[in-house]
Amino acid sequence: MLNTLRFVSFLFTALALAVALAHALELPNKITLSREDYLTVQQIYRGWALLGIIEIAALLSTLALAFKVSRDPKVFGLTLSALFCIAAALAVFFLFTYPVNQQTANWTRLPDNWADLRKQWEYSHATRAGLFLIALNLQILTVLRRNE
């Protein structure tokens, strides 16, 4: 059961990282686009809201894993830290990314302050990628630590 739970937690964290990295890696090419080009490019994200299910699955499976390993001090702290990173990535989304999505109607319109909103949206996604990367590395360390 532990290995299955660990696999599910790692898998969903890796998938969440993949989505976040897609956003982060395009940042250098998108951050200087013109108003019209940026609005056009943002349309590629239609339907991506469903990918939030992956992040919730990463959070819940890592929470379950933390409970499962709570008696193993070698891995519990690392698992809890990974859980915190996943929760922080979700918090960044709801505090910084989601409000921009609301103000731009999911990038179907651009208000006058669109350039500031673009920075907030792009850098919040980059921050989330970093948090998911840290979470996955912490999860990997739990396996290495357990095998010591």
Side-chain angles (χ1 to χ4, degrees):
M1 178 67 176
L2 177 61
N3 284 336
T4 301
L5 190 53
R6 183 174 282 124
F7 174 80
V8 170
S9 174
F10 287 26
L11 174 65
F12 282 119
T13 302
L15 290 172
L17 172 60
V19 173
L21 274 177
H23 284 298
L25 292 173
E26 52 74 26
L27 186 154
N29 294 315
K30 283 177 49 188
I31 201 70
T32 58
L33 290 176
S34 70
R35 176 183 182 103
E36 295 76 24
D37 289 344
Y38 191 77
L39 187 60
T40 299
V41 169
Q42 285 297 94
Q43 301 316 302
I44 65 173
Y45 299 116
R46 286 188 183 159
W48 279 43
L50 292 174
L51 296 174
I53 294 168
I54 292 169
E55 295 183 23
I56 299 301
L59 181 74
L60 294 177
S61 60
T62 305
L63 176 63
L65 182 59
F67 279 114
K68 188 75 172 168
V69 300
S70 63
R71 294 185 184 186
D72 185 348
K74 288 183 180 180
V75 299
F76 178 66
L78 292 169
T79 305
L80 204 57
S81 296
L83 178 64
F84 174 78
C85 287
I86 295 166
L90 283 164
V92 168
F93 176 81
F94 284 109
L95 292 172
F96 298 101
T97 313
Y98 183 75
V100 172
N101 289 343
Q102 294 300 297
Q103 290 179 53
T104 62
N106 289 316
W107 296 102
T108 58
R109 64 178 173 80
L110 294 179
D112 291 338
N113 65 337
W114 77 275
D116 292 332
L117 294 173
R118 169 178 64 185
K119 285 180 187 172
Q120 181 173 327
W121 193 88
E122 294 289 346
Y123 290 115
S124 67
H125 277 298
T127 301
R128 289 165 38 75
L131 288 165
F132 281 121
L133 179 61
I134 293 167
L136 184 60
N137 280 296
L138 288 166
Q139 290 173 328
I140 291 167
L141 284 173
T142 65
V143 174
L144 298 175
R145 185 65 60 92
R146 185 180 67 126
N147 292 332
E148 285 181 344

